[in-house]
Amino acid sequence: MSEKKKQSLLMGALAGSFGVFLSKALGLFYVVPLNQFAGETNMAFYSIAYSYYDLLLKICGAGIPFAIAALVAKYYSRNDYKTVLLVRKLGTSFIMASSFIIAVIFLLIARPLATSTMGVEASVEDVNALYNLFRILTIAIIFVPLLSSIRGYYQGLKRLDVYASSQVIEQFVRVFGIIALGYIFVQILSFDGIWAIYMAMLSASVAAIITIIYMLVMTRKQSRQVIVLAECQSTSCKNQKEVFIELISLGIPYVIISFLGTSSSIVNSNFFMSYAPTANIAYEDALLVLGILQVNCNKIAAIPQVLTLGFSAGLVPYLTESLEKQDYRLLQRQLSDIFNTVFYLLIPVVMAFILFAKAIYFIMYGNANLDLGSEVFMISNLQTITDTIAPILSSILITLRHRKSAIGILGISFAIKFISFFPFISLTGYAGMIYSSVLCSLVVIVFGFVFLKKNYNFKLKNCLKKLLFIFISSFLCMIPSLIISFFVPFNYDSKLICLLLMIVYALISGSLYLVITYFFYLPQSIFHVKGKDILKVFRRFRA
């Protein structure tokens, strides 16, 4: 296998990660002002509502846009333009109908769901706040899946420019809406802080509607071209029933997998508030911790977790090609490349998060509840590691056509999350949410690696050997920064000073990490480049 082919999977996945990173970075902009407008206690309402929003979107839309993209690409390549339009019609109709039905059902159960979620100690005002958020959420349930179906269609036509630009526009409009509307209602009109949360949830719908309009306007010419080609087509399209069955059979497994993959946030959002008093956690403390963990900490964790989305998207064509050719030696190398690269990039970042948790949390969110926030953030980094690796393993199993196995493993992990959640909360307090989530993801990781070893003779031992050297390198590169921070401590009265110090430490530790891992021959073996080639890259960058 040539060096170029060896690097193609990694470069494609890393390029995908970089694109997602930009989107996530844009998403970080709203968390700090939203905290200031709403207050950290109210962030728990956003956390709970967003968990349901994410879950319902997966039920309504996950899988079907993927199926639309796959079938559009399939029939477009066969010049069957009539079936392409049929796929779009059936897919969009199915998503619109299912979204509307689920939105209506959710609206009907919103009041009792808000009451049970908040627990018996919740005030009427708190229950009403969550109920209002659920009602606002139903608007997004209708429009956001529709946007996903339109994206899926143009993704199938390989209009990736439209696909990518629509994501940027949606995120930009959403972030701008959260900040602008939150400022207007709370800072100018002096409404209660919960209105910033209302506007944050409403912004998702506004962003989806504006992006839909943008896509329809920008793709009129492309849409017309497909219609003209369909009118000129002499053959008839596929049977409607067959296409619909094909659409559902492709999409539904992804819906199930997406649902099971959100087990941690589902269980946390549904049961923590009601169970917290049993574990002697005061209601206000529970509300505060839930918001810190599932909004503040998750936003920071999203930075290294972009590897999940990048590699999940990038590995599909390469692993599929190796599987089709039955080139299992190449497949084993690709699997090793994926995990070695993730470990190489993930571990030093998470270690820095753990060692400098307080400073990083202060830079992001200020002094409010700093001790509690930094403590939660430090512990949550265990989950950051497992929640980055587990989804990649699930995606690999799906790509290698083991959907039943993936669903079975995720089902077991969901059950373990639920079963372990309550005793862990009783034993360790709020940290039980994190520990049960880590255990849940570890189940996926262990079963996933065992499955790959059994079916594809995956050499896990080689990856673990590299992982050990990555841990050693990550720890060694942090030592000088830790020593300097002892003599030049962080100033928790100035975000700017803390930020400048963190930049200095990042440069020192990052440079040392590259040097130490170069000595251990890690980047050379992981990225399949020679030492002199790495030096050439640095010389070009310096020039």
Side-chain angles (χ1 to χ4, degrees), residues 170-234:
E170 182 192 14
Q171 185 73 312
F172 177 81
V173 173
R174 180 167 170 261
V175 171
F176 179 80
I178 290 172
I179 297 173
L181 293 175
Y183 181 80
I184 290 170
F185 277 85
V186 178
Q187 299 294 103
I188 297 178
L189 300 179
S190 299
F191 281 38
D192 187 81
I194 193 63
W195 277 83
I197 304 298
Y198 294 159
M199 293 302 104
M201 191 57 64
L202 181 63
S203 295
S205 302
V206 174
I209 293 170
I210 291 176
T211 309
I212 289 171
I213 295 171
Y214 162 81
M215 293 190 74
L216 293 177
V217 171
M218 292 297 294
T219 57
R220 282 183 300 181
K221 185 177 179 180
Q222 177 79 35
S223 298
R224 183 60 191 163
Q225 286 175 347
V226 178
I227 293 171
V228 170
L229 289 170
E231 290 173 348
C232 297
Q233 183 180 325
S234 58

Side-chain angles (χ1 to χ4, degrees), residues 319-524:
L319 295 185
T320 301
E321 183 181 2
S322 299
L323 187 65
E324 288 290 333
K325 294 179 179 178
Q326 296 186 343
D327 190 346
Y328 295 112
R329 289 187 65 184
L330 175 59
L331 183 63
Q332 290 166 11
R333 290 172 186 167
Q334 289 171 335
L335 292 173
S336 295
D337 286 344
I338 290 167
F339 292 112
N340 287 333
T341 306
V342 170
F343 292 149
Y344 185 81
L345 299 174
L346 174 67
I347 299 304
V349 175
V350 172
M351 190 167 289
F353 282 179
I354 293 172
L355 295 176
F356 298 102
K358 188 172 183 179
I360 293 170
Y361 194 89
F362 171 73
I363 292 169
M364 288 294 300
Y365 306 113
N367 271 317
N369 302 297
L370 177 58
D371 290 335
L372 176 62
S374 57
E375 179 183 296
V376 175
F377 174 51
M378 183 173 66
I379 300 173
S380 71
N381 281 290
L382 297 173
Q383 187 178 340
T384 299
I385 296 175
T386 56
D387 281 5
T388 302
I389 300 167
I392 294 175
L393 275 161
S394 298
S395 296
I396 288 172
L397 294 184
I398 297 166
T399 303
L400 297 178
R401 299 170 189 169
H402 296 289
R403 294 178 189 172
K404 289 183 179 179
S405 299
I407 292 172
I409 292 172
L410 286 169
I412 294 170
S413 72
F414 188 106
I416 287 178
K417 166 66 182 180
F418 184 79
I419 293 169
S420 64
F421 177 81
F422 302 100
F424 278 10
I425 294 291
S426 297
L427 291 170
T428 63
Y430 74 81
M433 285 192 291
I434 299 169
Y435 298 143
S436 60
S437 296
V438 170
L439 183 60
C440 165
S441 294
L442 279 175
V443 170
V444 177
I445 294 169
V446 171
F447 275 92
F449 278 128
V450 169
F451 188 91
L452 292 177
K453 181 176 177 58
K454 181 180 178 182
N455 290 273
Y456 299 99
N457 196 27
F458 174 62
K459 307 295 183 183
L460 179 59
K461 184 178 179 181
N462 295 336
C463 283
L464 292 178
K465 190 182 296 183
K466 281 189 172 62
L467 178 60
L468 175 61
F469 282 106
I470 289 170
F471 264 114
I472 293 171
S473 302
S474 299
F475 179 74
L476 290 176
C477 76
M478 296 294 167
I479 292 176
S481 296
L482 287 172
I483 293 173
I484 296 171
S485 67
F486 180 79
F487 293 101
V488 186
F490 288 100
N491 181 353
Y492 294 110
D493 293 321
S494 171
K495 282 189 176 184
L496 179 60
I497 293 176
C498 267
L499 177 60
L500 291 174
L501 282 174
M502 278 306 306
I503 291 173
V504 171
Y505 296 156
L507 291 173
I508 294 171
S509 298
S511 301
L512 279 174
Y513 182 70
L514 291 174
V515 171
I516 295 169
T517 55
Y518 181 86
F519 174 79
F520 285 135
Y521 203 72
L522 290 173
Q524 299 94 314

Side-chain angles (χ1 to χ4, degrees), residues 253-320:
Y254 282 88
V255 174
I256 297 170
I257 289 166
S258 297
F259 171 78
L260 293 173
T262 59
S263 59
S264 292
S265 61
I266 293 171
V267 174
N268 291 348
S269 297
N270 275 281
F271 300 104
F272 181 66
M273 292 304 303
S274 57
Y275 190 73
T278 308
N280 296 318
I281 302 174
Y283 173 80
E284 291 296 331
D285 293 339
L287 201 62
L288 178 62
V289 166
L290 187 63
I292 288 174
L293 174 63
Q294 297 208 152
V295 179
N296 294 0
C297 295
N298 281 358
K299 279 297 176 184
I300 305 175
I303 297 172
Q305 284 178 347
V306 296
L307 291 171
T308 298
L309 295 173
F311 275 90
S312 297
L315 60 84
V316 173
Y318 299 100
L319 295 185
T320 301

Side-chain angles (χ1 to χ4, degrees), residues 84-101:
V84 167
L85 294 177
L86 179 61
V87 169
R88 179 181 186 176
K89 176 184 175 183
L90 292 176
T92 303
S93 299
F94 180 80
I95 282 184
M96 288 180 68
S98 60
S99 298
F100 181 77
I101 292 169

